[in-house]
Amino acid sequence: MQDLPPIWLLRHGQTEWNAEQRVQGQMESCLTQLGIQQARRQAELMKPILSQQPLCFVSPLGRAQQTADIALGGAPFETDARLAEICAGDFQGQTRAEVAQSYPELFAKNSSTLDLYSAAPGGEGFDMFQSRISDFLATLTGPTVVVAHALLGQVMRGIVCSLGRSEMGDLSKDQGCIYLLKDGKEQVLR
């Protein structure tokens, strides 16, 4: 996408289900103590950014809201449903091991988490997921902070950096940092 303003992208802190390697998708799980520490680290990194008064948008899911409450230090934000994580259909609530056992062929064919969740029976699928992220990006009018999720972050970063789907699935999914997306490139702030 051309002519996008700078975007500071934060992934939510570690959740109980992240620690258990359980598929969350659009289901809820609270931040762990480590997740709270990661959001506090993001809060320190966000101080100079928030002084610029960017627009702030957050996923409607609880783990992103909890992270935003900490990382944005009370700065106002809008909740946007387009920032929810991919719906992983029948995989949601299962551990990765359970998915591998229940869906061995799908698990074997899809090496990246992005591809696996996109292939989930009853799920959203990649094309719809990418489309809603593109729709969100097309509405941005100035410097923006986004607090969202791992796979959403991979796809958003991929769109901004003009990457293909397989390249998106290879991007990092780190917590406790900020991805600055500017001029078609990304920089990780730690």
PDB file of all heavy atoms in Angstrom, residues 4-8 54-55 57 139-145:
ATOM      1  N   LEU A   4       0.948   5.398   3.194  1.00  0.00           N
ATOM      2  CA  LEU A   4       0.451   5.161   4.546  1.00  0.00           C
ATOM      3  C   LEU A   4       1.221   6.012   5.536  1.00  0.00           C
ATOM      4  O   LEU A   4       2.434   6.213   5.382  1.00  0.00           O
ATOM      5  CB  LEU A   4       0.601   3.685   4.929  1.00  0.00           C
ATOM      6  CG  LEU A   4      -0.393   2.721   4.308  1.00  0.00           C
ATOM      7  CD1 LEU A   4       0.017   1.286   4.596  1.00  0.00           C
ATOM      8  CD2 LEU A   4      -1.793   2.986   4.836  1.00  0.00           C
ATOM      9  N   PRO A   5       0.547   6.505   6.560  1.00  0.00           N
ATOM     10  CA  PRO A   5       1.255   7.240   7.603  1.00  0.00           C
ATOM     11  C   PRO A   5       2.066   6.273   8.463  1.00  0.00           C
ATOM     12  O   PRO A   5       1.876   5.047   8.375  1.00  0.00           O
ATOM     13  CB  PRO A   5       0.117   7.866   8.416  1.00  0.00           C
ATOM     14  CG  PRO A   5      -1.014   6.914   8.239  1.00  0.00           C
ATOM     15  CD  PRO A   5      -0.880   6.389   6.825  1.00  0.00           C
ATOM     16  N   PRO A   6       2.960   6.780   9.307  1.00  0.00           N
ATOM     17  CA  PRO A   6       3.665   5.888  10.230  1.00  0.00           C
ATOM     18  C   PRO A   6       2.677   5.147  11.133  1.00  0.00           C
ATOM     19  O   PRO A   6       1.675   5.712  11.578  1.00  0.00           O
ATOM     20  CB  PRO A   6       4.541   6.832  11.060  1.00  0.00           C
ATOM     21  CG  PRO A   6       4.644   8.078  10.246  1.00  0.00           C
ATOM     22  CD  PRO A   6       3.366   8.169   9.457  1.00  0.00           C
ATOM     23  N   ILE A   7       2.982   3.864  11.375  1.00  0.00           N
ATOM     24  CA  ILE A   7       2.152   3.023  12.249  1.00  0.00           C
ATOM     25  C   ILE A   7       3.065   2.382  13.287  1.00  0.00           C
ATOM     26  O   ILE A   7       4.091   1.791  12.941  1.00  0.00           O
ATOM     27  CB  ILE A   7       1.443   1.906  11.448  1.00  0.00           C
ATOM     28  CG1 ILE A   7       0.548   2.499  10.359  1.00  0.00           C
ATOM     29  CG2 ILE A   7       0.640   0.990  12.380  1.00  0.00           C
ATOM     30  CD1 ILE A   7       0.082   1.483   9.327  1.00  0.00           C
ATOM     31  N   TRP A   8       2.697   2.514  14.547  1.00  0.00           N
ATOM     32  CA  TRP A   8       3.373   1.817  15.628  1.00  0.00           C
ATOM     33  C   TRP A   8       2.475   0.654  16.027  1.00  0.00           C
ATOM     34  O   TRP A   8       1.366   0.858  16.529  1.00  0.00           O
ATOM     35  CB  TRP A   8       3.624   2.731  16.821  1.00  0.00           C
ATOM     36  CG  TRP A   8       4.612   3.818  16.517  1.00  0.00           C
ATOM     37  CD1 TRP A   8       5.975   3.759  16.638  1.00  0.00           C
ATOM     38  CD2 TRP A   8       4.326   5.149  16.061  1.00  0.00           C
ATOM     39  NE1 TRP A   8       6.544   4.949  16.278  1.00  0.00           N
ATOM     40  CE2 TRP A   8       5.548   5.828  15.915  1.00  0.00           C
ATOM     41  CE3 TRP A   8       3.128   5.824  15.747  1.00  0.00           C
ATOM     42  CZ2 TRP A   8       5.628   7.147  15.484  1.00  0.00           C
ATOM     43  CZ3 TRP A   8       3.217   7.133  15.316  1.00  0.00           C
ATOM     44  CH2 TRP A   8       4.451   7.785  15.188  1.00  0.00           C
ATOM     45  N   PRO A  54      -0.578  10.544  18.450  1.00  0.00           N
ATOM     46  CA  PRO A  54      -1.111   9.781  17.312  1.00  0.00           C
ATOM     47  C   PRO A  54      -2.505   9.255  17.631  1.00  0.00           C
ATOM     48  O   PRO A  54      -2.897   9.168  18.800  1.00  0.00           O
ATOM     49  CB  PRO A  54      -0.117   8.614  17.197  1.00  0.00           C
ATOM     50  CG  PRO A  54       0.341   8.400  18.607  1.00  0.00           C
ATOM     51  CD  PRO A  54       0.415   9.779  19.218  1.00  0.00           C
ATOM     52  N   LEU A  55      -3.233   8.902  16.590  1.00  0.00           N
ATOM     53  CA  LEU A  55      -4.498   8.210  16.787  1.00  0.00           C
ATOM     54  C   LEU A  55      -4.178   6.798  17.272  1.00  0.00           C
ATOM     55  O   LEU A  55      -3.201   6.190  16.824  1.00  0.00           O
ATOM     56  CB  LEU A  55      -5.283   8.148  15.479  1.00  0.00           C
ATOM     57  CG  LEU A  55      -5.700   9.485  14.893  1.00  0.00           C
ATOM     58  CD1 LEU A  55      -6.298   9.281  13.506  1.00  0.00           C
ATOM     59  CD2 LEU A  55      -6.689  10.175  15.809  1.00  0.00           C
ATOM     60  N   PHE A  57      -5.730   2.857  17.940  1.00  0.00           N
ATOM     61  CA  PHE A  57      -6.784   1.897  17.662  1.00  0.00           C
ATOM     62  C   PHE A  57      -6.411   0.550  18.270  1.00  0.00           C
ATOM     63  O   PHE A  57      -5.250   0.137  18.191  1.00  0.00           O
ATOM     64  CB  PHE A  57      -6.984   1.733  16.151  1.00  0.00           C
ATOM     65  CG  PHE A  57      -7.444   2.977  15.463  1.00  0.00           C
ATOM     66  CD1 PHE A  57      -6.528   3.835  14.880  1.00  0.00           C
ATOM     67  CD2 PHE A  57      -8.791   3.296  15.407  1.00  0.00           C
ATOM     68  CE1 PHE A  57      -6.938   4.994  14.244  1.00  0.00           C
ATOM     69  CE2 PHE A  57      -9.222   4.453  14.775  1.00  0.00           C
ATOM     70  CZ  PHE A  57      -8.295   5.311  14.188  1.00  0.00           C
ATOM     71  N   THR A 139      -8.149   3.483   5.804  1.00  0.00           N
ATOM     72  CA  THR A 139      -8.834   4.584   6.497  1.00  0.00           C
ATOM     73  C   THR A 139      -7.883   5.491   7.269  1.00  0.00           C
ATOM     74  O   THR A 139      -8.310   6.526   7.781  1.00  0.00           O
ATOM     75  CB  THR A 139      -9.883   4.047   7.501  1.00  0.00           C
ATOM     76  OG1 THR A 139      -9.213   3.336   8.559  1.00  0.00           O
ATOM     77  CG2 THR A 139     -10.891   3.143   6.809  1.00  0.00           C
ATOM     78  N   LEU A 140      -6.603   5.118   7.356  1.00  0.00           N
ATOM     79  CA  LEU A 140      -5.672   5.881   8.191  1.00  0.00           C
ATOM     80  C   LEU A 140      -5.332   7.225   7.554  1.00  0.00           C
ATOM     81  O   LEU A 140      -5.006   7.293   6.367  1.00  0.00           O
ATOM     82  CB  LEU A 140      -4.403   5.079   8.451  1.00  0.00           C
ATOM     83  CG  LEU A 140      -4.599   3.750   9.176  1.00  0.00           C
ATOM     84  CD1 LEU A 140      -3.254   3.085   9.438  1.00  0.00           C
ATOM     85  CD2 LEU A 140      -5.383   3.938  10.471  1.00  0.00           C
ATOM     86  N   THR A 141      -5.386   8.266   8.368  1.00  0.00           N
ATOM     87  CA  THR A 141      -5.143   9.621   7.863  1.00  0.00           C
ATOM     88  C   THR A 141      -3.942  10.299   8.500  1.00  0.00           C
ATOM     89  O   THR A 141      -3.561  11.393   8.079  1.00  0.00           O
ATOM     90  CB  THR A 141      -6.384  10.506   8.110  1.00  0.00           C
ATOM     91  OG1 THR A 141      -6.656  10.524   9.521  1.00  0.00           O
ATOM     92  CG2 THR A 141      -7.593   9.977   7.356  1.00  0.00           C
ATOM     93  N   GLY A 142      -3.364   9.693   9.514  1.00  0.00           N
ATOM     94  CA  GLY A 142      -2.213  10.296  10.176  1.00  0.00           C
ATOM     95  C   GLY A 142      -1.499   9.261  11.010  1.00  0.00           C
ATOM     96  O   GLY A 142      -1.911   8.091  11.061  1.00  0.00           O
ATOM     97  N   PRO A 143      -0.396   9.652  11.670  1.00  0.00           N
ATOM     98  CA  PRO A 143       0.351   8.713  12.501  1.00  0.00           C
ATOM     99  C   PRO A 143      -0.579   7.952  13.448  1.00  0.00           C
ATOM    100  O   PRO A 143      -1.458   8.553  14.084  1.00  0.00           O
ATOM    101  CB  PRO A 143       1.327   9.608  13.258  1.00  0.00           C
ATOM    102  CG  PRO A 143       1.528  10.782  12.340  1.00  0.00           C
ATOM    103  CD  PRO A 143       0.176  11.002  11.707  1.00  0.00           C
ATOM    104  N   THR A 144      -0.373   6.640  13.521  1.00  0.00           N
ATOM    105  CA  THR A 144      -1.337   5.760  14.187  1.00  0.00           C
ATOM    106  C   THR A 144      -0.639   4.704  15.028  1.00  0.00           C
ATOM    107  O   THR A 144       0.360   4.127  14.613  1.00  0.00           O
ATOM    108  CB  THR A 144      -2.202   5.051  13.123  1.00  0.00           C
ATOM    109  OG1 THR A 144      -2.859   6.034  12.323  1.00  0.00           O
ATOM    110  CG2 THR A 144      -3.235   4.141  13.749  1.00  0.00           C
ATOM    111  N   VAL A 145      -1.225   4.425  16.194  1.00  0.00           N
ATOM    112  CA  VAL A 145      -0.812   3.313  17.039  1.00  0.00           C
ATOM    113  C   VAL A 145      -1.883   2.235  16.927  1.00  0.00           C
ATOM    114  O   VAL A 145      -3.079   2.534  16.983  1.00  0.00           O
ATOM    115  CB  VAL A 145      -0.655   3.750  18.519  1.00  0.00           C
ATOM    116  CG1 VAL A 145      -0.411   2.554  19.428  1.00  0.00           C
ATOM    117  CG2 VAL A 145       0.459   4.780  18.650  1.00  0.00           C
TER     118      VAL A 145
END
